[in-house]
Amino acid sequence: MREYATQMEAARKGIVTEELKKAAQKERMSTEELLPLAAQGKVVICANRNHACIDPEGVGSMLRTKINVNIGVSRDCKDYDVEMEKVMEAVNLGAHAIMDLSSHGDTIPFRRKLISECPAMIGTVPVYDSVIHYQKDLADLTAQDFIDVVRLHAEDGVDFVTLHCGITRKTIDQIRKHKRKMNLVSRGGSLVFAWMCMTGEENPFYEYFDDILEICREYDVTISLGDACRPGCLADGSDVCQIEELVRLGELTKRAWEKDVQVMVEGPGHMPMDQIAANMKIQQSICMGAPFYVLGPIVTDIAPGYDHITSAIGGAIAAQNGAAFLCYVTPAEHLALPNVEDVKQGIIASKIAAHAADIAKGVRGAREIDDKMAEARRTLDWEAQWECAIDPAAAKKIREDRKPEHDDTCSMCGKFCAVRSMNKALSGEYIDIL
Amino acid sequence: MREYATQMEAARKGIVTEELKKAAQKERMSTEELLPLAAQGKVVICANRNHACIDPEGVGSMLRTKINVNIGVSRDCKDYDVEMEKVMEAVNLGAHAIMDLSSHGDTIPFRRKLISECPAMIGTVPVYDSVIHYQKDLADLTAQDFIDVVRLHAEDGVDFVTLHCGITRKTIDQIRKHKRKMNLVSRGGSLVFAWMCMTGEENPFYEYFDDILEICREYDVTISLGDACRPGCLADGSDVCQIEELVRLGELTKRAWEKDVQVMVEGPGHMPMDQIAANMKIQQSICMGAPFYVLGPIVTDIAPGYDHITSAIGGAIAAQNGAAFLCYVTPAEHLALPNVEDVKQGIIASKIAAHAADIAKGVRGAREIDDKMAEARRTLDWEAQWECAIDPAAAKKIREDRKPEHDDTCSMCGKFCAVRSMNKALSGEYIDIL
């Protein structure tokens, strides 16, 4: 019998868990530094008691920024083998979390396989699965059905669950009255909203929040408080619907912490660049430092096919200003279910954003690899450059496609290479250019 | 005979030129608004008297952010037809400027063809061409040779020239003493530096700056003051070499303005995200509002193959904070001369950065297209979405590769589509999900 229910309770009792020890090591922190942050809820260590193979990571604004990769089948793309291939690719590329967003077929075997094989944190959105699990249409589900699926996922070993607890029946009026350009774009949020509209009942994830806390406490499932009202276009950014939900998420964070349940808070979405820093600061204040998990933010609405780039811009700014966890966005966002190549492109773009932010906020050791790359460039040591590169194979391929005449240069500048000229100039050599 | 030498002189005399009129229209500004900005040097209109087909644009921090595309042959990639293909692609994709950085062969015919056919602003770096034009090795060139090539480019109709006027013999000692990680990474800057080292003479672009101003005044060539000391890695960001050169560029800006010569100032480079805003503010102050033309900035050194993304992050932040002009960066940066596809990817990433920044700084009308896209998304009108997309063909292809079963959705969410659920919920319809 362990002496604590959750990582938060352990930290509060001063118990250094194995998971906390491993998470601290990865951050080059002592357990004495990390423990109070876990106790205060500023760092979460998502590690369900039933996820045996987990390689634990801390998530918090003062740690390395973590990235999440969404996978899962849909009615139109239902090949579980392809999804498992994406998972393996994601883990190899350094993803810290995998969210299984499957919305078709029998979801149990894949989820269990994922949890038994994948060392990254596993997240789900149980409300999707409710429809699938019971094979009942949305209006026919009961509040208890929703709660039971949360328990099922907890038993299966899911490390964090997105629950849209922050909207209520009042939100229906607010959305009608406020006339947002994009209403709700949260898939789970829209299901809860639609269910409330059809049944006339209150949001079960709000109404039965205490029951949910019991389940999450029992298995140490971290609640990722979903932002149903996250802006789905620039025009809706930072509007009253979004901010009022955030206030409610702050209240729910407090209630969860009272039961030692770990919490992350989800955030935008689509947002003009100039609003991002303010949004991060407000969340940190309203939610008392609970880790902010952002979905983007996407900084322009007009780039379908390139939303890995629009979200790399927004994600980097968000992480620099306090977001702890970035949900990747792929080039297929807004268009189709991502394929394996889209997944890769999405992960690389998120990693760039996370790493750039870590450097900017001075995360321990973050810039070391950049300094190594600079050394390798100054000495024109191409092998050493590949070793520092975020995607060595891709970089190598570009250089080798267009091989230069002179091995110490590249085909961009040839003997006009600034590095070559400077090395010769500073060592007093004659500089031949022609 | 026209009554003014340069657009700046015209503006100072209160003359509304055809070029200023067209540039104002594109910004939805009146000529009364734009004219004082051109007179003060806060906006440049790069339009050489000999560039007959130019479609003029203003460049300034309060206008839409402009983007530049580098092309040109090198010893390893010398096909001029491919370069012309890149130019046409660039102009079609909305590039505002083309810099011909050719460093091989007979450069005159291509430059003249470019200027006679391309309506975008044309820029060059005459110091590259000096070596090529005279077919002499660097050490054998005279100060007069360099100046004569500036005149040749001015006569040919080049709209702006990058000149590395801001380094002097003192810089040699400074670079030796300061031990930067990457020394100079500016190709032109390193040539000037190497020439000074080998000849023992002063930088001709600094020493004969007044002669250069005469040439630029005569043809209305805008000087783009090159930043030889721009940081080439994060570790060198905002160091004394960079900032001292910037101070000198501020002095030279003043001298140019005294002769009504238009000026842009070039800037970083590689730079940690948290330094970018400060750098933009300092340049605007030191250079009295002269437009800042940034090369990146690249926010991590470790992403060769993806530097269109690292620079989209840095460029967006730079433009939001005052940069007026972004030099595109392609996926081939640091590796090879970009091919046609790299050029396209580089342009799209720069356009995203520029547009996101324009929205953030409230440039007139910038967000209209985003609002249209949001409308199209809410109504699930796919044709209207393609019309708003930055690259309609790429977006369409992703959707059509993975066609959904239900035409009003996409294969990502199918009937779980939040937009579909919300539209039905708000109009009181029954929401079928299964």
Side-chain angles (χ1 to χ4, degrees):
Chain A
M1 231 346 238
R2 64 187 204 183
E3 299 157 71
Y4 56 90
T6 69
Q7 294 291 331
M8 185 179 223
E9 193 188 14
R12 285 171 167 182
K13 289 181 167 171
I15 301 168
V16 176
T17 64
E18 274 311 302
E19 291 78 14
L20 184 127
K21 215 181 280 178
K22 286 184 192 159
Q25 208 166 23
K26 290 181 184 171
E27 307 294 336
R28 307 193 189 180
M29 282 172 112
S30 67
T31 54
E32 290 74 19
E33 287 174 287
L34 190 57
L35 189 122
L37 296 170
Q40 290 160 32
K42 289 183 179 165
V43 164
V44 296
I45 299 169
C46 306
N48 186 307
R49 307 178 77 131
N50 291 344
H51 187 181
C53 67
I54 194 161
D55 184 18
E57 292 275 2
V59 179
S61 69
M62 64 302 290
L63 310 183
R64 288 168 303 124
T65 304
K66 304 303 182 298
I67 66 168
N68 173 69
V69 168
N70 291 335
I71 55 99
V73 298
S74 70
R75 191 188 182 96
D76 293 307
C77 304
K78 44 194 156 202
D79 186 338
Y80 274 117
D81 291 336
V82 172
E83 295 315 293
M84 208 60 206
E85 196 187 324
K86 291 180 191 172
V87 171
M88 289 310 152
E89 171 93 345
V91 172
N92 286 338
L93 284 169
H96 307 98
I98 303 286
M99 286 193 84
D100 174 16
L101 305 186
S102 291
S103 61
H104 183 73
D106 183 4
T107 55
I108 294 178
F110 179 69
R111 187 168 58 246
R112 292 186 180 161
K113 181 176 160 73
L114 189 62
I115 291 164
S116 73
E117 295 180 10
C118 179
M121 299 178 254
I122 304 298
T124 59
V125 188
V127 71
Y128 303 167
D129 199 30
S130 307
V131 178
I132 304 306
H133 181 72
Y134 296 103
Q135 286 291 308
K136 284 198 238 171
D137 223 338
L138 188 62
D140 303 328
L141 291 170
T142 65
Q144 191 60 48
D145 289 339
F146 291 118
I147 307 301
D148 287 344
V149 170
V150 175
R151 177 176 296 278
L152 174 65
H153 284 215
E155 285 170 355
D156 280 349
V158 169
D159 301 298
F160 65 99
V161 288
T162 294
L163 301 176
H164 300 86
C165 309
I167 55 171
T168 66
R169 296 206 58 81
K170 269 195 200 165
T171 311
I172 301 175
D173 298 330
Q174 195 180 38
I175 291 288
R176 283 191 197 282
K177 198 178 94 188
H178 190 65
K179 296 209 181 299
R180 298 183 112 187
K181 217 179 242 314
M182 283 295 289
N183 300 312
L184 305 194
V185 297
S186 154
R187 196 156 72 161
S190 71
L191 293 175
V192 173
F193 188 98
W195 185 85
M196 288 194 288
C197 286
M198 290 192 289
T199 61
E201 291 185 42
E202 185 49 282
N203 174 3
F205 298 100
Y206 180 74
E207 197 170 6
Y208 302 105
F209 191 63
D210 285 328
D211 299 315
I212 290 168
L213 290 180
E214 285 309 317
I215 299 168
C216 292
R217 186 180 158 82
E218 187 177 345
Y219 296 91
D220 199 0
V221 175
T222 300
I223 299 181
S224 188
L225 288 167
D227 55 335
C229 296
R230 69 168 174 270
C233 61
L234 300 188
D236 293 343
S238 309
D239 75 351
V240 66
C241 305
Q242 181 203 329
I243 303 300
E244 194 177 333
E245 184 185 30
L246 179 65
V247 170
R248 217 162 299 123
L249 299 184
E251 295 162 5
L252 295 167
T253 298
K254 218 170 168 181
R255 284 173 61 189
W257 286 354
E258 282 164 11
K259 301 209 173 157
D260 307 317
V261 172
Q262 302 189 95
V263 173
M264 299 188 284
V265 176
E266 296 186 15
H270 291 234
M271 180 154 283
M273 280 172 72
D274 59 311
Q275 297 179 11
I276 297 174
N279 267 267
M280 301 304 118
K281 302 300 173 198
I282 290 168
Q283 183 274 342
Q284 286 291 285
S285 159
I286 298 288
C287 301
M288 301 147 290
F292 206 15
Y293 174 24
V294 297
L295 312 165
I298 282 173
V299 295
T300 166
D301 299 334
I302 64 163
Y306 299 88
D307 279 323
H308 59 311
I309 299 180
T310 60
S311 69
I313 296 172
I317 299 170
Q320 184 192 352
N321 287 284
F325 196 20
L326 303 180
C327 186
Y328 91 150
V329 174
T330 80
E333 185 71 24
H334 299 110
L335 297 169
L337 203 77
N339 60 27
V340 175
E341 179 59 22
D342 292 326
V343 167
K344 180 185 163 188
Q345 294 300 320
I347 293 172
I348 301 243
S350 292
K351 279 182 74 171
I352 289 172
H355 180 62
D358 289 348
I359 292 165
K361 61 183 179 182
V363 166
R364 226 164 272 182
R367 218 191 65 195
E368 281 173 14
I369 183 80
D370 295 73
D371 291 349
K372 262 191 207 164
M373 176 63 99
E375 283 291 327
R377 283 188 171 140
R378 198 195 58 231
T379 53
L380 293 165
D381 181 341
W382 293 92
E383 286 307 316
Q385 289 179 46
W386 309 145
E387 277 169 33
C388 299
I390 203 162
D391 184 355
K396 215 165 166 174
K397 188 174 177 308
I398 293 174
R399 178 169 154 82
E400 288 179 356
D401 267 1
R402 287 150 261 171
K403 267 257 174 191
E405 189 183 330
H406 299 278
D407 234 26
D408 60 343
T409 64
C410 85
S411 62
M412 188 164 191
C413 307
K415 286 166 88 178
F416 279 77
C417 173
V419 176
R420 177 180 176 275
S421 297
M422 290 302 295
N423 289 349
K424 284 179 184 277
L426 291 171
S427 58
E429 284 177 58
Y430 183 82
I431 302 129
D432 58 311
I433 301 286
L434 273 185
Chain B
M1 236 338 243
R2 64 186 202 183
E3 299 157 70
Y4 56 89
T6 69
Q7 294 291 330
M8 185 180 224
E9 193 188 15
R12 286 170 166 183
K13 289 181 167 169
I15 300 168
V16 175
T17 65
E18 274 310 303
E19 290 79 14
L20 183 128
K21 214 181 281 176
K22 285 182 192 161
Q25 207 166 25
K26 289 180 185 171
E27 307 293 337
R28 306 194 190 179
M29 283 172 111
S30 67
T31 55
E32 289 75 17
E33 286 174 286
L34 189 57
L35 189 122
L37 297 169
Q40 292 160 32
K42 288 182 179 167
V43 164
V44 295
I45 299 169
C46 306
N48 185 306
R49 307 179 76 133
N50 291 344
H51 187 183
C53 68
I54 194 161
D55 185 17
E57 291 275 2
V59 179
S61 69
M62 64 301 291
L63 311 182
R64 288 169 303 125
T65 304
K66 304 304 183 296
I67 66 166
N68 172 69
V69 169
N70 291 335
I71 54 99
V73 297
S74 70
R75 190 186 183 97
D76 293 307
C77 304
K78 45 195 158 204
D79 186 338
Y80 273 118
D81 291 337
V82 172
E83 296 314 293
M84 209 60 207
E85 197 188 320
K86 291 180 191 171
V87 171
M88 289 309 153
E89 171 91 347
V91 172
N92 287 339
L93 284 169
H96 306 99
I98 303 286
M99 285 193 86
D100 174 16
L101 305 187
S102 290
S103 61
H104 183 73
D106 183 6
T107 56
I108 293 178
F110 179 68
R111 187 167 58 246
R112 291 187 179 158
K113 182 177 159 72
L114 189 62
I115 291 164
S116 74
E117 294 180 10
C118 178
M121 301 178 253
I122 304 298
T124 59
V125 189
V127 72
Y128 304 166
D129 199 29
S130 306
V131 178
I132 305 305
H133 181 71
Y134 297 104
Q135 286 292 304
K136 284 200 239 172
D137 222 337
L138 187 62
D140 302 328
L141 291 169
T142 65
Q144 191 60 48
D145 288 340
F146 290 119
I147 308 301
D148 286 346
V149 170
V150 175
R151 178 176 297 278
L152 174 66
H153 284 216
E155 285 170 357
D156 280 350
V158 169
D159 301 299
F160 64 101
V161 287
T162 293
L163 301 176
H164 300 86
C165 309
I167 55 170
T168 65
R169 295 207 59 82
K170 268 195 203 166
T171 310
I172 300 176
D173 298 329
Q174 195 180 38
I175 291 288
R176 282 190 198 282
K177 197 180 93 190
H178 190 64
K179 298 210 180 299
R180 298 182 111 187
K181 218 179 242 313
M182 284 295 289
N183 300 311
L184 305 194
V185 297
S186 156
R187 196 156 70 162
S190 71
L191 293 175
V192 174
F193 188 97
W195 185 85
M196 288 195 288
C197 287
M198 290 193 287
T199 61
E201 290 184 43
E202 184 49 283
N203 174 2
F205 298 101
Y206 180 74
E207 196 171 7
Y208 303 105
F209 191 62
D210 284 328
D211 298 313
I212 290 168
L213 289 180
E214 284 310 316
I215 298 168
C216 290
R217 184 178 160 85
E218 186 177 345
Y219 296 91
D220 200 359
V221 176
T222 300
I223 298 181
S224 189
L225 288 167
D227 55 337
C229 297
R230 71 170 172 269
C233 62
L234 300 189
D236 293 342
S238 309
D239 75 350
V240 65
C241 306
Q242 182 204 327
I243 304 300
E244 194 178 333
E245 184 185 30
L246 180 65
V247 170
R248 216 163 298 121
L249 299 183
E251 294 162 6
L252 295 167
T253 298
K254 217 169 169 183
R255 282 172 62 188
W257 285 354
E258 281 163 12
K259 299 208 173 159
D260 306 319
V261 172
Q262 302 189 96
V263 173
M264 300 190 284
V265 175
E266 297 186 13
H270 291 233
M271 181 155 280
M273 280 173 73
D274 58 311
Q275 297 179 11
I276 299 175
N279 266 267
M280 301 304 118
K281 301 301 173 198
I282 289 168
Q283 183 274 343
Q284 286 292 285
S285 158
I286 299 287
C287 301
M288 300 147 292
F292 206 15
Y293 174 24
V294 296
L295 311 165
I298 281 173
V299 295
T300 165
D301 299 334
I302 64 162
Y306 298 89
D307 279 323
H308 59 311
I309 298 180
T310 61
S311 69
I313 296 171
I317 299 169
Q320 184 191 352
N321 287 283
F325 195 20
L326 302 180
C327 186
Y328 90 150
V329 174
T330 80
E333 186 72 23
H334 299 109
L335 298 168
L337 202 78
N339 60 27
V340 175
E341 179 58 23
D342 292 325
V343 167
K344 181 185 161 187
Q345 293 301 320
I347 294 171
I348 301 246
S350 292
K351 280 181 73 171
I352 287 171
H355 180 63
D358 289 349
I359 291 164
K361 61 184 180 182
V363 166
R364 225 164 272 182
R367 217 191 65 196
E368 281 174 13
I369 183 81
D370 293 74
D371 291 348
K372 261 190 208 165
M373 176 61 99
E375 283 292 326
R377 282 189 172 140
R378 198 194 58 234
T379 54
L380 293 167
D381 180 342
W382 293 92
E383 286 307 317
Q385 289 181 46
W386 309 144
E387 279 168 32
C388 300
I390 204 163
D391 183 356
K396 216 166 165 172
K397 188 174 175 307
I398 292 174
R399 179 169 154 82
E400 288 179 355
D401 267 2
R402 287 150 262 171
K403 268 255 175 195
E405 187 182 334
H406 299 279
D407 233 25
D408 59 345
T409 63
C410 84
S411 61
M412 187 163 191
C413 306
K415 286 165 89 177
F416 279 76
C417 173
V419 176
R420 177 179 176 274
S421 296
M422 289 302 297
N423 290 348
K424 285 181 185 276
L426 291 171
S427 59
E429 284 176 57
Y430 182 81
I431 302 130
D432 59 313
I433 301 285
L434 274 186

